[in-house]
C-alpha cells in the first residue's frame, strides 16, 4: 500500500495538535507536530543567548541541533537528547518560534527533516506550510481554523489546565499578532493550500472535528 500524507495547516490555537494527534492514532499513522520543531529552535537559541534577530546564528543552530520525538502518550520532544516538552509550550516560546520561523535558513533545515520523516510512513503532519511547501502533493490537505476569540479561549484553557496564569485579552492579542506574522512573512506564509478542505471549527466539538477528518481520510484512501 502506498503511504498517505495528511497535511493539516492552520493558525495558532485552531486545535491542530489535539485533532492531528488523535486522527493519526485512529488511522494508525505517524504523527508529527512541525511547530514543535520551530519551538525547539527558538528554545535552543534563547537558552544559548542567540538573538532572535541574528539570522545566520539561527540558521546555524537549526542545522546543528537534534530534534527527536517519542510518540507515546503524551508525546515527548527531545532537544539534543533532553526532554523539552514542557519548556517549549510557553506563550513566550510560541512567539519566539514564530519569529525564528521567518528565517529562510531555519525553514530549509526544518522542511528537509519533515520531508524525510514523511517519506517512510503514512503520516499526519501539522503546521503552517505542510500542504503548501513540505508536501505540496499530499494526498489529503486540511486547513483547520476558528475565530480569534474561540482560539484564545481554547489556548487559555489549555494553559491554565497546565497551571499557567493567563489573561484572555492578552491571549487574543498574542494570537492576532502571531497570525499576522505567520501569514505575512516572505518565506512560506500561512495560507490555504490549493485543494485543501477548509474546516472552520467554531461551535464544533473537537471530537466531531476528529470524526469528520478520519472519515474524510478513509473515504479518500
Ligand atoms: O503550531 P505552533 O503554535 O506550535 O507553531 C509555533 C510557530 O512555529 C508558529 O507561530 C509558526 C511556526 N511554524 C511554521 O512556521 N511552520 C510550521 N510548519 C509550523 C510552525
Amino acid at each position: 500500500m502506498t503511504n498517505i500524507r495528511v497535511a493539516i495547516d492552520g493558525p495558532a490555537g485552531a486545535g491542530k495538535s489535539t485533532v492531528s494527534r488523535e486522527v493519526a492514532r485512529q488511522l494508525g499513522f505517524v504523527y508529527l507536530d512541525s511547530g514543535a520543531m520551530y519551538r525547539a529552535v527558538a528554545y535552543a537559541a534563547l537558552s544559548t543567548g542567540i538573538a532572535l534577530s541574528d539570522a545566520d546564528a539561527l540558521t546555524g543552530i537549526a542545522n546543528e541541533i537534534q530534534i527527536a520525538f517519542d510518540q507515546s502518550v503524551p508525546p515527548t520532544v527531545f532537544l539534543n537528547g533532553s526532554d523539552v516538552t514542557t519548556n517549549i509550550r510557553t506563550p513566550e516560546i510560541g512567539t519566539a518560534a514564530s519569529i525564528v520561523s521567518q528565517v529562510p535558513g531555519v525553514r530549509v533545515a526544518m522542511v528537509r527533516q519533515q520531508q524525510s520523516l514523511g517519506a517512510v510512513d503514512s503520516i499526519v503532519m501539522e503546521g503552517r506550510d505542510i500542504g503548501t511547501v513540505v508536501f505540496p502533493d499530499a494526498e489529503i490537505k486540511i486547513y483547520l481554523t476558528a475565530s480569534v476569540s474561540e482560539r484564545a479561549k481554547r489556548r487559555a484553557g489549555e494553559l491554565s489546565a497546565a497551571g499557567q496564569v493567563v489573561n484572555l485579552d492578552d491571549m487574543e492579542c498574542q494570537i492576532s499578532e502571531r497570525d499576522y506574522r505567520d501569514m505575512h512573512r516572505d518565506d512560506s506564509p500561512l495560507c490555504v493550500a490549493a485543494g485543501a478542505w477548509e474546516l472552520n471549527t467554531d461551535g464544533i466539538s473537537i471530537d466531531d472535528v476528529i470524526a469528520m477528518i478520519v472519515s474524510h481520510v478513509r473515504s479518500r484512501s
Side-chain angles (χ1 to χ4, degrees):
M1 204 186 83
T2 50
N3 288 334
I4 294 169
R5 292 151 307 164
V6 181
I8 303 189
D9 290 305
K16 292 190 305 292
S17 294
T18 315
V19 167
S20 306
R21 196 161 55 228
E22 184 56 19
V23 166
R25 195 192 65 76
Q26 291 189 20
L27 293 168
F29 290 8
V30 169
Y31 160 66
L32 188 98
D33 171 6
S34 67
M37 300 174 71
Y38 291 93
R39 285 173 182 264
V41 174
Y43 182 73
L46 291 176
S47 38
T48 48
I50 289 173
L52 298 184
S53 52
D54 188 342
D56 288 343
L58 291 171
T59 302
I61 208 158
N63 282 295
E64 277 159 27
I65 58 173
Q66 291 213 325
I67 305 168
F69 294 91
D70 173 346
Q71 298 297 1
S72 38
V73 182
T76 314
V77 185
F78 296 95
L79 169 63
N80 297 329
S82 299
D83 180 351
V84 293
T85 315
T86 333
N87 312 60
I88 63 167
R89 283 296 145 206
T90 64
E92 293 71 30
I93 295 293
T95 301
S98 169
I99 295 170
V100 306
S101 72
Q102 295 175 299
V103 176
V106 170
R107 302 205 68 82
V108 169
M110 296 301 109
V111 169
R112 198 185 300 129
Q113 293 182 40
Q114 291 152 10
Q115 287 173 332
S116 60
L117 285 162
V120 275
D121 283 304
S122 286
I123 194 163
V124 177
M125 196 177 293
E126 58 146 311
R128 302 291 189 290
D129 62 339
I130 311 304
T132 50
V133 175
V134 181
F135 301 131
D137 55 351
E139 287 67 25
I140 292 165
K141 299 181 189 179
I142 292 163
Y143 188 88
L144 209 60
T145 188
S147 63
V148 172
S149 61
E150 179 82 29
R151 290 187 281 130
K153 259 188 257 153
R154 289 185 198 156
R155 262 287 148 97
E158 284 164 16
L159 290 169
S160 37
Q164 297 187 29
V165 181
V166 274
N167 170 298
L168 205 54
D169 289 340
D170 291 348
M171 203 77 239
E172 281 201 20
C173 247
Q174 268 176 27
I175 285 194
S176 304
E177 276 174 22
R178 194 125 79 87
D179 283 356
Y180 186 86
R181 204 180 304 111
D182 293 347
M183 290 172 182
H184 292 86
R185 65 183 175 218
D186 292 335
D187 190 348
S188 322
L190 169 65
C191 63
V192 183
W197 176 29
E198 258 186 273
L199 195 49
N200 185 316
T201 66
D202 275 2
I204 311 180
S205 77
I206 289 289
D207 285 347
D208 285 346
V209 174
I210 293 164
M212 286 160 82
I213 296 179
V214 168
S215 86
H216 180 69
V217 177
R218 290 205 168 119
S219 72
R220 302 274 305 269
S221 52

